[in-house]
Amino acid sequence: MKMKKMVAGLSTAVFAFGALAACGGGTDSGSTNEGGSTSENKPEKIVIWEDIEKSETTKEVAKAFEEEHGVAVEVVEVQMTDQKDKLALDGPAGKGPDIVLVPHDQIGTIADQGHLAPLTDEGALDAFTDASKSAVMFDGQAYGYPKSVETPVLMYNKDLVSEAPTSMDDLYKLSTDLKSKGEYGFLALWDNFYFAHGVVSGFGGYVFKEDGGALDPTDVGLNNEGAVEGFEYIGKWYEEGLFPKGLIGESGGQAMDQLFTEKKAHTVMNGPWAVAGYTDAGVNLGASALPTLPNGEPIKTFMGVKTYALSAYTENQEWAEMFLAELTNEENALKMFEAYNEIPPVAALETNETITSNEVAKAVFDQATNAIPMPNIPEMGQVWEPMAQALQLVATGKQDAQKSADDAVKVIEQQIQANNQ
Amino acid sequence: MASIANPKTPEQRPDKPTNHARNAALLSIIPGAGQFYNNQKAKAIAFFIVIMSYFAVNYDLFFKGAGAGPGDRGGLWGLITLGEVAGPRNDHSIFLMVEGIVALILLFFGIAFYIWNIRDAYRVGRIRDQHLNVPTFQVQLRNLRDHGFPYLMLIPSLILLVFTVVLPLIFTFLIAFTNYRYNNAPPAKLVEWIGFENFTRIFEIDIWRDTFVGVLGWTLVWTVASTVGVIAIGIFLAVLLNQEGLRFRRLFRSILILSWAVPAFITILIFRSMFNESFGVFNTTILPAFGLDPINWMTDPTATRSALILIQWWLGFPFIMTLMTGVLQSIPGDLYEAATIDGATIFDKFRLITLPMLLFATAPILITQFTFNFNNFNIIYLFNGGGPAVPGQTAGGTDILISWIYKLSLGANPQYGLAAAITLILSFFIMTLAVIQFRRTKSFKDEDMI
């Protein structure tokens, strides 16, 4: 019995130490919450999370900002895709940054959970293109400064194609002519909804109905007449053998890159991120906006906007906004473009020579005028998987376009409905 | 009567009866005072210091510091209310809940220690009442060293266990009774206690009920089909390899065991490519060779399910085969000799001797095979991510409960409360099955079959 007692005594002592440790953490977060500084006071520093291996320009701007205003800016590299989850943990613990960098299509989910603060000064966004401005809007409020814009464009091998085709009909003809040679006129990953969306919405489909700047998650237009026409058009390219079989599925991207760099594919639909790989492989690369569809409409690709957003946990919102305005102004956005090929959606830069002389950047700018920002409401998360499946069924010719689209939309609608029940 | 005539017990010594036990216990309400009364000064100080420091250290956790709002609100307050004001600088329901659980666990240990403090004083008091020697502090320390060593060694891991296993368990359990989900999450909103609503949601709302029934049905079919298949194939091959006069036995055994030598997730990923609809080897080479049409392995639920079961057979049989080979060698040959004399056919011998012996000896392992496949997340997730998507339910066509829970909690629009509720249901299933089966299995009882 005695021994047991001693054991218990010791264990309690250990627990007490454990509690001490636990409590130390708790008081920390409490004190940061209380010590809120007003915006009049200069904060010691503000913290920005920048994408990994892309922070040099930001650091330069931060240095200039500190010299001018006397507020230090700490630039921390965090993988952009990880920032959302990290903010949700670090923010409440009082260790979060003032500024995060997120893809704009995540804004809805993060803002909905209260991790982001809307901008106080929406007028500052007037310098950006309309499409990128609408991309950062959620629930009627602006949630960030656009950093760069991405959208798929037409890339072609100048050794094989002298001039960028302007209509899909031309490309179709090119493809059918080349088929006998075992070459491909045009390749696109249309079994992936990110790329297929351009065709589907070009024919008249839409993901969520836009109503006065807000998206309506109860109105999914991916099986309307136009969308089905788009599905059928996609199916046609696969069915007639204009796309190789290996292009379907997750290794499709690899297959496409390989065919393009081996000069077997004359043109491809791909985004600016692919440029480095193509030029490294020795492709004499040209780029332009995507051609028009047979119905005369442009291909309305999805547009993604990397966005600097404000953490809801920041106590230095005004300083953070001031820094962002500087970081994304014409001059610094151009620096960012020169350093990392991040194409800035700054309206004044559209005619800037540095950008227009870069074929890919110009193509992205041109394509962006027809592009649709990826919906940034949380319900978008339910769209990808069913659409991927519908597209796969159409691409492999296993099911007709109407039924595939109907099934997918039914799943999407049920998922969205169920999540709110 | 006799005992009164012959007083032997210490109580009936001529001295005046004492009340040390009661007094010490009452005094112990102030920690250590009872021990002090019992003349155990070192112990008294130890008790006093431990309990006082416990209070000092945990005061904040119990009585204030939780949440960010005004007032002295402790960890338990946070656990009960889950916060009062939402917002990034105010109450964070989930953090409050975790703090509350920690407070609860510490409170439990505190109360236990306090009770033990009183009991200790009472017991020592009783020893004194009986006029026996009270062991000194040194003696107690020596006892601890001599007999308590294993306990001392176990304590750190026990503490670790409480905070790494018990705490998350309580957390999951509690989340099941909240409305925590993607559009009702802190800091934007407060999470609230909603009682059994998550459970009624599963059974009352059509889409969730259909999903649950669909997923549970497939989970059961999957568990039974994959496990029984693996066992059947394993036994069949083991018996075959054990036939007398079989040549190149080692070679065959080595070949058959190969699929075990490759890590399962690599095998699954390879199969995933082989089953690819447009360029996988099944659709491009194997099926056409037999004059069959390609099958939608990845987009037709039935085809995906069949593929999954076949892959699990491939992955699982070598283990059962090896296991059974070992058991086969321990079956006494005279049983078969006697059977042969009695005129039994080879099938009679298998059915009446081999099979019962094998199943008897390996029952516990076979049960773990069932529970393993019931929660076999890897194969489902790696092969097709639980897909294909099917209309009418929110889970994919091949999602089993565990992968559905994964999607619900880590997918695009997380439903944490619901996922936790399903987790509880799933654990209930597993535990019931395990208990029933373990109890019914003869091999867990002491008797030998032979």
Side-chain angles (χ1 to χ4, degrees), chain A residues 1-3 5-16 19-20 23 27 33 89 92-93 112-115 245-246 248 250-251 312-315 378-379 381-382 385-386 389 392-393 396 398 407 410-411 414-415 418-421, chain B residues 50 57-58 60-61 68 88-89 92 95 106 109 113 116 120 123 127 135 140-141 143-144 147-148 151-152 155 159 181-183 185-188 201 205 207-208 272 277-279 296 299 387-394 412-413 415:
Chain A
M1 285 323 285
K2 291 292 168 302
M3 164 213 53
K5 287 175 189 175
M6 293 317 295
V7 169
L10 267 168
S11 64
T12 313
V14 180
F15 281 129
L20 188 67
C23 235
T27 30
N33 281 340
L89 291 173
D112 210 21
Q113 295 180 357
H115 299 301
K245 278 206 157 181
I248 305 172
E250 66 203 30
S251 47
Y313 307 96
T314 176
E315 281 151 8
E379 284 81 1
Q382 302 300 345
E385 203 195 326
Q389 191 177 333
Q392 199 181 0
L393 286 170
T396 51
K398 303 240 170 68
D407 281 354
K410 208 168 145 195
V411 173
Q414 278 172 342
Q415 296 274 23
N419 273 327
N420 291 310
Q421 273 181 342
Chain B
V50 168
V57 159
N58 295 324
D60 273 3
L61 186 57
R89 274 175 208 82
H92 191 295
F95 290 2
L106 288 173
F109 285 115
F113 188 74
W116 176 58
D120 175 74
R123 289 200 172 176
I127 294 174
Q140 291 183 339
L141 277 182
N143 275 341
L144 178 69
H147 304 291
Y151 296 94
L152 275 180
I155 282 168
I159 293 165
R181 55 179 171 181
Y182 77 104
N183 54 4
R201 238 171 117 201
I205 293 171
I207 180 89
W208 290 116
R272 177 194 160 114
E277 290 179 12
S278 44
F279 55 84
N296 300 352
T299 44
V390 284
Q393 65 175 49
T394 70
N413 300 147
Q415 297 272 349

Side-chain angles (χ1 to χ4, degrees), chain A residues 159-234:
Chain A
D159 297 345
L160 303 169
V161 185
S162 52
E163 204 179 323
T166 52
S167 79
M168 285 304 290
D169 285 337
D170 289 351
L171 274 181
Y172 177 75
K173 201 172 158 292
L174 180 68
S175 293
T176 39
D177 289 348
L178 288 171
K179 196 181 158 190
S180 56
K181 278 167 64 185
E183 293 183 11
Y184 303 95
F186 171 70
L187 293 181
L189 300 175
W190 280 345
D191 63 327
N192 178 336
F193 185 55
Y194 177 76
F195 292 104
H197 171 266
V199 178
V200 173
S201 68
F203 276 100
Y206 53 87
V207 182
F208 299 120
K209 186 83 182 170
E210 194 179 328
D211 186 16
L215 296 169
D216 178 7
T218 57
D219 186 348
V220 179
L222 289 171
N223 63 340
N224 65 18
E225 209 179 312
V228 173
E229 215 178 311
F231 272 97
E232 277 162 358
Y233 185 72
I234 288 170

Side-chain angles (χ1 to χ4, degrees), chain A residues 157-336:
Chain A
N157 191 328
K158 283 181 179 168
D159 297 345
L160 303 169
V161 185
S162 52
E163 204 179 323
T166 52
S167 79
M168 285 304 290
D169 285 337
D170 289 351
L171 274 181
Y172 177 75
K173 201 172 158 292
L174 180 68
S175 293
T176 39
D177 289 348
L178 288 171
K179 196 181 158 190
S180 56
K181 278 167 64 185
E183 293 183 11
Y184 303 95
F186 171 70
L187 293 181
L189 300 175
W190 280 345
D191 63 327
N192 178 336
F193 185 55
Y194 177 76
F195 292 104
H197 171 266
V199 178
V200 173
S201 68
F203 276 100
Y206 53 87
V207 182
F208 299 120
K209 186 83 182 170
E210 194 179 328
D211 186 16
L215 296 169
D216 178 7
T218 57
D219 186 348
V220 179
L222 289 171
N223 63 340
N224 65 18
E225 209 179 312
V228 173
E229 215 178 311
F231 272 97
E232 277 162 358
Y233 185 72
I234 288 170
K236 187 171 97 167
W237 282 77
Y238 287 96
E239 197 186 344
E240 296 181 8
L242 303 177
F243 288 167
K245 278 206 157 181
L247 207 60
I248 305 172
E250 66 203 30
S251 47
Q254 243 175 331
M256 185 175 84
D257 291 347
Q258 203 178 345
L259 288 169
F260 189 55
T261 50
E262 284 173 357
K263 297 191 179 185
K264 284 201 173 148
H266 293 205
T267 69
V268 293
M269 173 187 184
N270 213 336
W273 55 83
V275 169
Y278 290 160
T279 47
D280 285 355
V283 176
N284 186 2
L285 192 72
S288 76
L290 285 159
T292 50
L293 290 164
N295 66 353
E297 287 288 316
I299 293 183
K300 295 174 181 165
T301 47
F302 265 147
M303 183 175 87
V305 181
K306 293 182 189 167
T307 308
Y308 292 113
L310 296 169
S311 156
Y313 307 96
T314 176
E315 281 151 8
N316 318 308
Q317 178 153 357
E318 276 181 34
W319 287 98
E321 281 189 54
M322 208 194 290
F323 176 69
L324 283 184
E326 198 153 320
L327 181 62
T328 55
N329 70 15
E330 224 179 297
E331 181 196 348
N332 291 326
L334 201 60
K335 275 189 203 159
M336 193 78 88

